[in-house]
Amino acid sequence: MIRTPITGLVCLGLAATLFVGCSDKAVPTEQQANAIQQLEAQSIPRTQERFLEAVMQDDAELVRLFLDAGMNPDVTVLDKDGSTPLNIAADHEQMEIVRSLLKEGADPDGKDTVTGHRPLHTAVFHHDTEMAKLLLNHGADPNATLSRGRTPLAVAIAPRPSETVEAHVQLIQLLLDQGADPTESDADGRTALMEAASYGERELVDLLLHQKGVKVNRQDDNGVTALMEAAFQGDPEIVGALLSAGADPLLKDDQRQAAADYARRGDHEEVRMMLLKAGS
C-alpha cells in the first residue's frame, strides 16, 4: 500500500497508477483491475470529483464501476454541503446506488460536513420506508440527531401530500420497532407527539400514545402541550384521544393560555366547549 501525506487515501492500480480516493485494499483484485481498465477505456478520470458527480447524476452503473475499482464510498470532496455519496443518493431516492455504497462499507450514519444531515434523516424526509429500512439494517442510528436535536422520528412525522395514512404509519412504526425513542425532544423541547398533534395526524397520535414512556402532558420550551396543538388544529378525535390518555386541559403555556384558548384562536367552538367541559 502506498500512502501520501496529501490525501492519505492512495492505492495502486494498473501499471502503478495512483487512484486518489480509493478504499483500503492492499492488492488490486481482478475485479478492481477490470474496473480500472473499463474506466480508462472510456477516458473517465479516476478522481473523487468524478465519482461524486456520478452519484449526483444518478448513474448507478458508473458508481458501481468506481466502487469496483476501489473508490472510497465515503469521500466528501466537491459538494458545497460536504454531502457524503450515501446522503446524496438517499436524497435522490436512488436505491440501487445506496445498496452499492452500503455494500462497499459506506457509513450509514455519515453526516454532511456543513449541514449535518444524515442518510436516515434524508430517507425519512422523503418518507422512503424501504430505504430507511435498508439503512437501519446496515446500522443507521434511529436516534441520531441533526444540529437542532431533531431525530429521524421527528423528521418523519411531517406528512407528505401524496402519501396514504397507512404508508405514513408504516414508516413511523418501522422507526419505533428499530429503537427510535418517542420520548426524545429537540432543542426547543418539542416531542414527536406534539408534532403529530400539530399536523392533525390522528393515527400517529394514537400510535405514539401507546409507546412506553410518552408523557402526554409534557410541555415544550414555550409551555405548549400536545393538547394545545390539537386544540388549535380543531380535531375533536385527537383532542378526545389525548384527554382519554390523561392530557390536562387546565395546563397553561408561557403566555398563560390553556388548550381552550388555543381552540378559540383556531375558531373551533366544538373543541373549545369539549375542553371547557373536561376542565370543569
Side-chain angles (χ1 to χ4, degrees):
M1 176 67 67
I2 295 176
R3 291 201 177 275
T4 169
I6 298 176
T7 65
L9 287 170
V10 179
C11 61
L12 284 173
L14 294 178
T17 302
L18 292 181
F19 188 4
V20 178
C22 56
S23 55
D24 220 3
K25 297 180 181 178
V27 179
T29 63
E30 182 178 352
Q31 175 179 273
Q32 220 176 339
N34 288 336
I36 292 173
Q37 282 185 326
Q38 291 182 57
L39 289 169
E40 289 181 339
Q42 299 176 56
S43 299
I44 297 173
R46 301 193 305 278
T47 63
Q48 296 175 349
E49 288 81 3
R50 185 64 184 91
F51 169 62
L52 201 55
E53 186 178 304
V55 176
M56 289 189 287
Q57 293 175 343
D58 306 329
D59 192 336
E61 184 177 347
L62 184 54
V63 168
R64 182 68 261 173
L65 200 57
F66 268 105
L67 292 171
D68 286 346
M71 178 61 73
N72 177 359
D74 284 325
V75 295
T76 55
V77 297
L78 182 67
D79 186 73
K80 63 182 177 63
D81 292 327
S83 295
T84 66
L86 187 58
N87 211 19
I88 294 171
D91 190 34
H92 290 199
E93 300 183 79
Q94 286 293 321
M95 181 67 83
E96 185 178 351
I97 294 179
V98 169
R99 287 187 190 280
S100 294
L101 291 167
L102 289 172
K103 181 181 178 181
E104 294 303 319
D107 182 0
D109 280 326
K111 61 181 180 180
D112 297 353
T113 57
V114 177
T115 66
H117 291 172
R118 300 174 188 266
L120 184 57
H121 287 84
T122 301
V124 300
F125 172 78
H126 290 294
H127 286 203
D128 193 330
T129 302
E130 289 306 308
M131 188 171 292
K133 183 185 299 184
L134 178 64
L135 290 163
L136 287 164
N137 287 341
H138 279 79
D141 182 358
N143 293 304
T145 58
L146 301 180
S147 58
R148 293 290 298 168
R150 288 176 64 76
T151 64
L153 181 61
V155 172
I157 292 293
R160 294 182 71 83
S162 61
E163 185 181 44
T164 65
V165 172
E166 292 76 13
H168 197 181
V169 170
Q170 183 182 22
L171 173 62
I172 301 303
Q173 187 67 67
L174 169 68
L175 291 169
L176 292 171
D177 289 345
Q178 293 291 324
D181 186 353
T183 70
E184 282 290 319
S185 60
D186 64 17
D188 298 312
R190 302 282 297 173
T191 66
L193 182 60
M194 293 173 193
E195 293 298 318
S198 73
Y199 284 113
E201 293 289 305
R202 298 177 188 174
E203 289 77 8
L204 298 190
V205 168
D206 185 62
L207 178 60
L208 290 166
L209 284 173
H210 286 84
Q211 302 305 306
K212 183 178 179 180
V214 170
K215 296 180 179 179
V216 71
N217 287 313
R218 190 164 176 175
Q219 295 174 279
D220 68 13
D221 290 354
N222 294 312
V224 177
T225 66
L227 184 61
M228 294 172 190
E229 293 285 10
F232 185 73
Q233 287 296 323
D235 189 323
E237 289 191 28
I238 295 180
V239 170
L242 290 167
L243 288 171
S244 295
D248 185 352
L250 299 181
L251 280 177
K252 295 183 179 181
D253 65 12
D254 291 354
Q255 302 300 314
R256 308 300 297 166
Q257 299 288 295
D261 298 308
Y262 278 75
R264 175 180 51 78
R265 283 163 48 193
D267 197 23
H268 303 299
E269 185 61 19
E270 177 189 353
V271 169
R272 190 179 78 87
M273 295 305 296
M274 179 190 305
L275 290 163
L276 289 174
K277 181 177 179 181
S280 63

